[in-house]
Amino acid sequence: MPPDADSEQPLLIEKGETNEYAEYIRILIGKKWLILSVTIIAFLAAIIYFSMRPNLYTAAVKILVEESQEGLKSYQDNIGTSYRAQKDYYGTQIALLTGRDIARSVEEELSPPPGYGVWAQQVRETRIIILYVKDRNPQWAADIANKFAEVYVKESSKQNLYVSE
């Protein structure tokens, strides 16, 4: 049966015609030295960049944060504490822990070199806050993290004594 002019026929490459993919491969092979040179230059630039960056170390300290108890609460009072109120409380504690007042106390006691970074986060659905300190010196990072926790605990104890008296 002779093929219809409208029916689809397989694509045949005749002599003199070029396959599109073969053309791309031919171009790539023709430019292989350029491609290789650019790849090597990018690789060397990455090695130089990362070897010149200073090492940064992160120290972490876990702090158990409990709400101050002004008196014994009933079961109903404990149930009535909203999730939003707890979230606000721990957000406030994180802000205090990483705030200027505690940072100033830490810097007065340790005299650490400038350039360290401090941040904190609450462990999900717990009363634990993890404080992170990033510094170029691993010992300084650990010392600063421990001092932040120590000052925070000391200040929290003072506030709890003040509230309950």
Side-chain angles (χ1 to χ4, degrees), residues 64-79 81 86 89-90 93 127 156-157 159-165:
L64 176 63
V65 178
E66 300 203 72
E67 294 183 54
S68 62
Q69 300 291 328
E70 295 173 12
L72 293 176
K73 291 184 177 181
S74 70
Y75 178 75
Q76 288 294 359
D77 290 339
N78 284 331
I79 296 297
T81 305
Q86 285 182 347
Y89 177 79
Y90 289 104
Q93 296 309 304
R127 293 176 287 168
S156 294
S157 297
Q159 289 178 0
N160 286 343
L161 289 174
Y162 180 73
V163 168
S164 63
E165 287 182 350

Side-chain angles (χ1 to χ4, degrees), residues 37-119:
S37 298
V38 169
T39 302
I40 289 172
I41 290 170
F43 180 72
L44 291 175
I47 287 175
I48 291 169
Y49 173 76
F50 285 109
S51 67
M52 294 181 78
R53 286 186 60 186
N55 292 332
L56 292 177
Y57 301 93
T58 303
V61 63
K62 292 181 181 179
I63 304 167
L64 176 63
V65 178
E66 300 203 72
E67 294 183 54
S68 62
Q69 300 291 328
E70 295 173 12
L72 293 176
K73 291 184 177 181
S74 70
Y75 178 75
Q76 288 294 359
D77 290 339
N78 284 331
I79 296 297
T81 305
S82 72
Y83 173 75
R84 179 71 185 158
Q86 285 182 347
K87 189 173 180 183
D88 288 349
Y89 177 79
Y90 289 104
T92 301
Q93 296 309 304
I94 288 172
L96 291 172
L97 175 60
T98 59
R100 286 188 183 165
D101 291 339
I102 292 181
R104 190 174 306 118
S105 296
V106 168
E107 290 169 2
E108 287 173 3
E109 290 186 40
L110 289 180
S111 301
Y116 65 89
V118 177
W119 72 98

Side-chain angles (χ1 to χ4, degrees), residues 13 17-27:
I13 298 175
E17 290 184 19
T18 58
N19 183 347
E20 186 178 323
Y21 297 114
E23 184 67 22
Y24 289 135
I25 291 173
R26 187 185 66 74
I27 291 171

